[in-house]
């Protein structure tokens, strides 16, 4: 039975009147959900959230992958709560800054120094600035097959939403394909002595590194004198407690973390080799780099939350649990999709701890219309799932219920495929890609 969301609809309209896009992150926009089925959230506990209309959902991709332990995790919230009565920010470094740095570098031993900030874009841009300063070069090379690195001009210039960015900035970012060392080396040759860094996620979505790929990138960066940067926003802790670099055994020069680091609290990190990080410090001998100087980067409750997250991951084996939950969910979804005759159209992809789904039309092509149909059935069944990215708070019962709802969605999907037109089951306009030139 489809849910009615009268309060959510009113709240969405009010949000659009007051907040550009109706949300503070484009991926949370109501254009990402079927028409009339974009719930506005009231609160969450564990793997469940409630909307302002009182409906409860099993949630996936919580906080855009940031809430990997589940909402209001007691160990994390208690750590943050302890600091609230002790002051949140001071005129000099707090002892928590030292303790948090020690905890982070113990967990990610491939890094030698770390600096904390509040969001991922700040630290990826700081990494780019360090690379440019260290090499004296202007060009930045980013992986073309990965969707997002920063809200700053150097990256957004490469997307369809490049309005307001000067052409001279656009021309300073070049791209390379994932998994293709020959193409990357050709790019480095073409811009010999001009590329400051190679930035990529070591793995992401459906992209796992081919044998020798990351080692080859490490060698290319060394040969051509550029900085190798791993964006660990998603892979950090979901791939291993030490990140993708720990799992694959390849150490970048710099790496950036966020999302899971705070379990919903605002904290991110730039980490890396001392010789590079010290360019933004007080002990270097060359020109100083204005690295990260954020008023709220050392907020005590966020750092306390981050330490609690890191301890929970390492002590409770959270990464292994995420993989186990994801494997069970993927197996269940594939089984019911095959059973309904849509196994070639509803696909589960990616690492078990970071599952996404693809919706293909009757010709096997990716389809936003069929995604709309599928999402509509999920939300109506009480599953809020723009992806199938799990949190460790999910129970066996949550997984079983999700698979039941997916089975119902696949039955409708089959009808649409037979009709060769999903329109009747979409309930309105199609969901839209986040990056598009026109609203």
């Amino acid at each position: 039975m489809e849910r009615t969301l009268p309060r959510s609809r009113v709240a969405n309209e009010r949000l659009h009147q007051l907040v550009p896009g109706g949300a503070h992150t484009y991926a949370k926009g109501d254009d990402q959900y079927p028409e009339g089925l974009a719930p506005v959230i009231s609160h969450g506990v564990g793997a469940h959230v409630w909307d302002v209309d009182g409906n409860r959902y099993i949630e996936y991709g919580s906080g855009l992958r940031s809430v990997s332990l589940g909402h209001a995790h007691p160990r994390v919230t208690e750590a943050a709560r302890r600091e609230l009565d002790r002051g949140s920010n001071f005129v000099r470094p707090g002892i928590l800054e030292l303790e948090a740095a020690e905890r982070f570098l113990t967990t990610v031993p491939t890094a030698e120094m770390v600096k904390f900030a509040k969001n991922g874009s700040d630290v990826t841009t700081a990494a780019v600035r360090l690379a440019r300063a260290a090499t004296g070069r202007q060009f930045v090379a980013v992986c073309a097959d990965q969707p997002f690195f920063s809200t700053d001009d150097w990256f957004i210039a490469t997307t369809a939403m490049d309005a307001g960015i000067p052409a001279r900035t656009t021309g300073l970012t070049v791209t390379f394909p994932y998994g293709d060392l020959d193409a990357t080396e050709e790019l480095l040759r073409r811009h010999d002595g001009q590329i400051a860094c190679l930035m990529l996620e070591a793995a992401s979505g459906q992209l796992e590194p081919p044998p020798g790929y990351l080692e080859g990138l490490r060698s290319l960066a060394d040969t051509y004198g550029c900085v190798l940067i791993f964006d660990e926003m998603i892979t950090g802790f979901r791939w291993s407690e030490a990140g993708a670099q720990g799992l694959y055994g390849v150490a970048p020069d710099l790496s950036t973390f966020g999302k899971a680091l705070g379990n919903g609290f605002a904290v991110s990190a730039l980490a890396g080799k001392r010789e590079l990080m010290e360019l933004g410090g007080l002990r270097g001998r060359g020109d100083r780099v204005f690295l990260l100087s954020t008023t709220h980067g050392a907020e005590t409750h966020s750092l306390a939350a981050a330490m609690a997250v890191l301890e929970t991951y390492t002590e409770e084996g959270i990464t292994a649990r995420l993989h186990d939950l994801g494997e069970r969910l993927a197996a269940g979804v594939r089984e019911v999709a095959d059973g309904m005759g849509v196994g070639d159209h509803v696909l589960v992809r990616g690492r078990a701890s970071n599952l996404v789904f693809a919706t293909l039309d009757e010709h096997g092509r990716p389809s936003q219309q069929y995604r709309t149909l599928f999402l509509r059935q999920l939300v109506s069944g009480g599953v809020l799932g723009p992806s199938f990215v799990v949190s460790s708070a999910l129970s066996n019962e949550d997984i079983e219920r999700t698979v039941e709802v997916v089975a119902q969605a696949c039955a409708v999907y089959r009808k649409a495929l037979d009709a060769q037109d999903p329109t009747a089951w979409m309930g309105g306009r199609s969901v839209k890609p986040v990056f598009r030139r026109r609203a």
Side-chain angles (χ1 to χ4, degrees):
M1 172 183 261
E2 185 160 297
R3 301 183 176 205
T4 57
L5 305 176
R7 292 183 179 177
S8 290
R9 293 185 187 190
V10 170
N12 273 317
E13 180 57 33
R14 290 172 59 198
L15 278 164
H16 278 283
Q17 293 296 322
L18 302 174
V19 178
H24 288 90
T25 310
Y26 283 118
K28 294 184 182 183
D30 57 12
D31 62 335
Q32 301 301 295
Y33 291 84
E35 189 171 351
L37 278 186
V40 174
I41 305 302
S42 164
H43 63 287
V45 177
H48 298 149
V49 295
W50 287 258
D51 65 27
V52 293
D53 294 282
N55 299 300
R56 172 175 142 171
Y57 305 86
I58 303 168
E59 187 193 41
Y60 291 89
S62 315
L64 305 181
R65 294 178 172 86
S66 68
V67 187
S68 57
L69 300 178
H71 298 290
H73 187 277
R75 190 168 179 177
V76 178
T77 55
E78 179 54 33
R81 189 178 290 115
R82 282 197 302 268
E83 297 304 321
L84 292 178
D85 293 330
R86 292 164 47 84
S88 62
N89 218 329
F90 313 111
V91 74
R92 280 282 293 150
I95 191 64
L96 271 179
E97 296 179 56
L98 171 60
E99 294 170 355
E102 289 174 337
R103 166 56 63 183
F104 180 92
L105 294 170
T106 297
T107 307
V108 187
T110 41
E112 296 173 327
M113 298 187 81
V114 62
K115 195 157 188 178
F116 296 109
K118 303 311 287 181
N119 66 70
S121 293
D122 286 349
V123 291
T124 53
T125 292
V128 167
R129 189 179 300 122
L130 274 183
R132 283 172 162 163
T135 62
R137 303 171 180 180
Q138 292 188 326
F139 281 79
V140 175
V142 301
C143 182
D145 299 310
Q146 293 166 338
F148 191 78
F149 291 102
S150 175
T151 61
D152 292 306
D153 287 2
W154 63 268
F155 173 71
I156 294 299
T158 69
T159 75
M161 295 174 68
D162 60 355
I165 301 175
R168 61 181 177 274
T169 299
T170 304
L172 293 177
T173 301
V174 295
T175 62
F176 61 92
Y178 188 85
D180 190 336
L181 289 174
D182 290 339
T184 305
E185 183 164 20
E186 205 288 345
L187 177 72
L188 290 167
R189 280 201 197 106
R190 195 178 340 129
H191 298 279
D192 191 20
Q194 296 178 296
I195 293 179
C197 60
L198 299 172
M199 178 176 286
L200 75 158
E201 296 173 286
S204 65
Q206 305 161 48
L207 303 176
E208 281 286 318
Y213 175 60
L214 297 179
E215 293 85 351
L217 280 181
R218 175 70 277 173
S219 178
L220 286 177
D222 293 338
T223 298
Y224 287 88
C226 56
V227 176
L228 181 61
I229 304 170
F230 284 174
D231 178 336
E232 295 254 26
M233 294 298 152
I234 293 173
T235 56
F237 317 127
R238 282 190 178 274
W239 262 241
S240 84
E241 285 80 3
Q245 57 197 279
L247 177 66
Y248 299 123
V250 176
D253 299 304
L254 297 170
S255 55
T256 57
F257 291 78
K259 293 192 182 291
L261 180 58
N263 200 54
F265 284 90
V267 59
S268 60
L270 168 66
K273 292 182 177 179
R274 185 176 304 277
E275 63 192 80
L276 289 170
M277 296 290 285
E278 278 286 22
L279 296 175
L282 295 176
R283 298 184 175 182
R285 296 183 179 179
D287 291 344
R288 291 183 66 194
V289 175
F290 191 91
L291 194 49
L292 289 159
S293 185
T294 55
T295 298
H296 300 293
E299 223 171 36
T300 56
H301 52 278
S302 292
L303 293 183
M307 285 192 287
V309 168
L310 293 169
E311 290 163 2
T312 301
Y313 261 84
T314 55
E315 294 173 14
E316 298 184 16
I318 296 298
T319 303
R321 174 165 173 75
L322 294 174
H323 278 85
D324 179 63
L325 288 166
E327 285 169 359
R328 276 187 275 164
L329 177 62
V333 169
R334 287 169 182 146
E335 182 179 0
V336 296
D338 286 341
M340 293 293 174
V342 298
D344 293 331
H345 301 271
V346 176
L347 306 177
V348 182
R349 295 171 170 168
R351 195 170 187 84
S353 60
N354 188 56
L355 294 173
V356 297
F357 58 79
T359 51
L360 309 184
D361 66 14
E362 55 273 12
H363 304 293
R365 299 172 302 201
S367 169
Q368 292 292 95
Q369 289 185 310
Y370 277 94
R371 179 176 174 84
T372 306
L373 174 156
F374 191 66
L375 283 173
R376 185 164 216 96
Q377 297 303 312
L378 292 186
V379 174
S380 296
V383 174
L384 194 57
S387 69
F388 284 145
V389 176
V390 297
S391 76
S392 66
L394 287 160
S395 66
N396 291 336
E397 292 74 22
D398 291 329
I399 298 293
E400 290 170 4
R401 175 56 185 161
T402 300
V403 172
E404 290 175 4
V405 173
V406 170
Q408 295 164 8
C410 288
V412 176
Y413 207 111
R414 182 68 261 171
K415 293 179 182 178
L417 288 172
D418 291 341
Q420 298 187 38
D421 184 0
T423 306
W425 294 274
M426 286 169 52
R429 54 102 180 115
S430 176
V431 299
K432 299 178 181 180
V434 169
F435 289 108
R436 58 187 191 274
R437 191 162 297 277
R438 299 284 184 177

